[in-house]
Amino acid sequence: MLILERLRDDMAVISGDSGEFSVSPDMVKGCREGDVIILSNDVYITDDIATEKRRKDILSLQNSLWDE
């Protein structure tokens, strides 16, 4: 699974199972920080289903921290 960790003017940082790497921000146009991304035709696109599931899982984990 690849996650867009940080997006800056001069680079985009992606993390995956093998660690982090940087690419040109042009390769992740339309993606937001925290999105699950996939490589398609030499650019990264958001995997909407995986991103939504990841966000729900994180929210559920956060909420469980406050449950007694």
Side-chain angles (χ1 to χ4, degrees):
M1 178 183 304
L2 298 174
I3 308 295
L4 178 57
E5 292 294 338
R6 294 181 301 281
L7 187 55
R8 303 291 180 254
D9 291 334
D10 60 337
M11 72 174 173
V13 177
I14 298 170
S15 69
D17 296 334
S18 301
E20 288 187 346
F21 59 95
S22 300
V23 298
S24 166
D26 293 334
M27 291 184 69
V28 294
K29 284 195 177 189
C31 300
R32 299 180 316 174
E33 292 177 342
D35 282 356
V36 176
I37 56 177
I38 55 174
L39 185 61
S40 176
N41 297 322
D42 296 325
V43 295
Y44 291 93
I45 59 172
T46 301
D47 181 334
D48 293 323
I49 293 171
T51 297
E52 184 62 26
K53 180 182 181 326
R54 180 173 184 267
R55 287 195 171 117
K56 285 180 180 178
D57 290 347
I58 290 170
L59 185 59
S60 176
L61 180 60
Q62 287 174 332
N63 288 338
S64 73
L65 295 174
W66 304 113
D67 291 342
E68 296 182 347

